Amino acid sequence: MYDIRFAEPGDLGATMALLVRLQADKAHHIGYLGETVDELRAELGEFEPTWADCTVVAVDADDNITGMLSVEVDAELGRAWLHGPFVDVPVNHPAGSRIWDQTADALFRRAAELLADVTDLELYGHTAHRRLAAFAERHGFAAGKASAIHVLDNGDLRTLLLRDAKCPSEREMRVLPTDKFVHEAVAVLHERCFPRTYLSGKQLVESDPATRTVVVAMDGQRVLGYAAGKAQPEEYYVDFVAVEPEVRGQGVGAALITELLWKLAADHGARPQAAASIHAGNDSSQKMFARLGFRLHVELVAYRHTA
């Protein structure tokens, strides 16, 4: 059994090496985190107050990092996201499953010290991560709908960025921040389309433009839809796309995605690919992204526990 302790800043290098190795294996893959050193460094660097303050690690007798669980807490929402648990089990070890389970449970117990007043927890991992599914069941997490990460890369992304992103019928595109009434309408649409997601409507419209871009489609003074996303070290990520029901199927969503990616490229420079997450069963969104050239990359599932 490994020892469990809180992380220290000096653990980051060894922990990232562990994550790069485990993230490459669908049986250990966690959906919140990237797969390369640059992606992970940027993502862990966003933890507040620091990555070490949000993380517990498992170590062997020589203090080598053998597991990790990080938590991101949103005190305003009373909600936390668990990045892990990651456990490095020796290949072909006869007690590998038991070691993983016991270490994961121990990491979770220690991380509970960081979860005061949090009543809503979420895990997110590959559909093939069976140990995570069993961990979720042991601890009372309910499985949600699977979602799929779709990517657009190579020449297809360059081709899309050269398209005209105008809305049909010459409707206007705006980028937040803009007028107060637009912010309010976007926040309401977001809450309606993405209830209880990791970002509230208020948080979305108040996002720092340097880290998240929100593009809005307008018809006069009326908000038709929006797309939100950010530039990560190795890709553009489309966080959310929402369109008012009465104008769906008219090309507004595709125009928003195209405009968003163009704006991210203009502000943050080139990236080799773009990515988006789509819930299973959302056929209209899957078809829309497919028409833009996106292809299925990986399937993930969220597990949620509420008090």
Side-chain angles (χ1 to χ4, degrees):
M1 185 68 179
Y2 301 129
D3 290 329
I4 310 298
R5 62 170 172 79
F6 282 96
E8 301 170 355
D11 296 326
L12 182 58
T15 302
M16 289 212 308
L18 173 75
L19 295 181
V20 168
R21 185 167 67 256
L22 295 182
Q23 281 292 81
D25 183 350
K26 63 184 181 182
H28 295 273
H29 185 89
I30 298 297
Y32 297 129
L33 298 176
E35 300 177 18
T36 69
V37 170
D38 286 343
E39 289 174 327
L40 291 164
R41 182 179 292 112
E43 290 157 353
L44 300 183
E46 293 178 354
F47 284 18
E48 295 181 353
T50 69
W51 166 81
D53 293 311
C54 302
T55 302
V56 295
V57 295
V59 296
D60 63 15
D62 297 317
D63 207 37
N64 297 311
I65 303 295
T66 55
M68 183 206 85
L69 176 60
S70 293
V71 301
E72 279 193 289
V73 176
D74 187 318
E76 181 180 343
L77 296 178
R79 189 171 178 187
W81 292 264
L82 308 185
H83 298 258
F86 291 93
V87 182
D88 192 18
V89 178
V91 176
N92 297 323
H93 194 290
S97 293
R98 186 170 63 186
I99 292 172
W100 197 100
D101 291 346
Q102 291 179 349
T103 304
D105 291 349
L107 286 166
F108 186 45
R109 285 194 298 270
R110 193 65 185 271
E113 298 177 33
L114 302 171
L115 299 172
D117 300 322
V118 174
T119 58
D120 191 350
L121 304 175
E122 185 173 301
L123 301 163
Y124 191 45
H126 198 289
T127 52
H129 195 336
R130 304 316 307 159
R131 286 172 173 162
L132 185 67
F135 171 89
E137 184 175 0
R138 283 198 307 278
H139 294 282
F141 287 75
K145 283 186 177 181
S147 60
I149 302 297
H150 293 249
V151 299
L152 179 72
D153 53 17
N154 300 321
D156 293 331
L157 176 57
R158 289 192 295 273
T159 299
L160 182 66
L161 291 174
L162 293 175
R163 291 183 186 176
D164 184 354
K166 287 183 180 179
C167 271
S169 304
E170 301 300 319
R171 290 164 178 161
E172 178 190 1
M173 291 284 193
R174 295 191 191 180
V175 178
L176 297 188
T178 180
D179 298 333
K180 182 180 179 180
F181 81 92
V182 176
H183 288 226
E184 293 174 349
V186 169
V188 169
L189 178 60
H190 178 79
E191 293 289 351
R192 188 173 357 119
C193 294
F194 302 101
R196 300 182 67 205
T197 189
Y198 62 88
L199 200 70
S200 69
K202 180 176 183 290
Q203 290 172 320
L204 176 71
V205 299
E206 293 179 355
S207 296
D208 183 351
T211 59
R212 177 176 283 107
T213 298
V214 183
V215 175
V216 185
M218 305 286 299
D219 185 1
Q221 298 297 296
R222 180 181 173 222
V223 169
L224 302 178
Y226 74 89
K230 52 191 174 184
Q232 297 178 323
E234 297 192 10
E235 68 183 16
Y236 310 120
Y237 186 72
V238 181
D239 267 324
F240 303 102
V241 182
V243 177
E244 290 288 359
E246 61 269 28
V247 293
R248 290 174 187 171
Q250 299 179 21
V252 175
L256 281 164
I257 295 166
T258 304
E259 178 71 12
L260 172 65
L261 294 176
W262 182 89
K263 180 64 175 172
L264 290 172
D267 290 347
H268 301 282
R271 298 291 190 275
Q273 71 175 30
S277 177
I278 305 171
H279 282 297
N282 191 343
D283 295 336
S284 60
S285 288
Q286 291 175 0
K287 291 176 181 177
M288 177 180 66
F289 278 96
R291 286 195 296 270
L292 292 172
F294 284 75
R295 58 176 176 79
L296 177 63
H297 173 61
V298 65
E299 291 186 332
L300 303 164
V301 62
Y303 305 91
R304 197 159 183 180
H305 180 284
T306 55

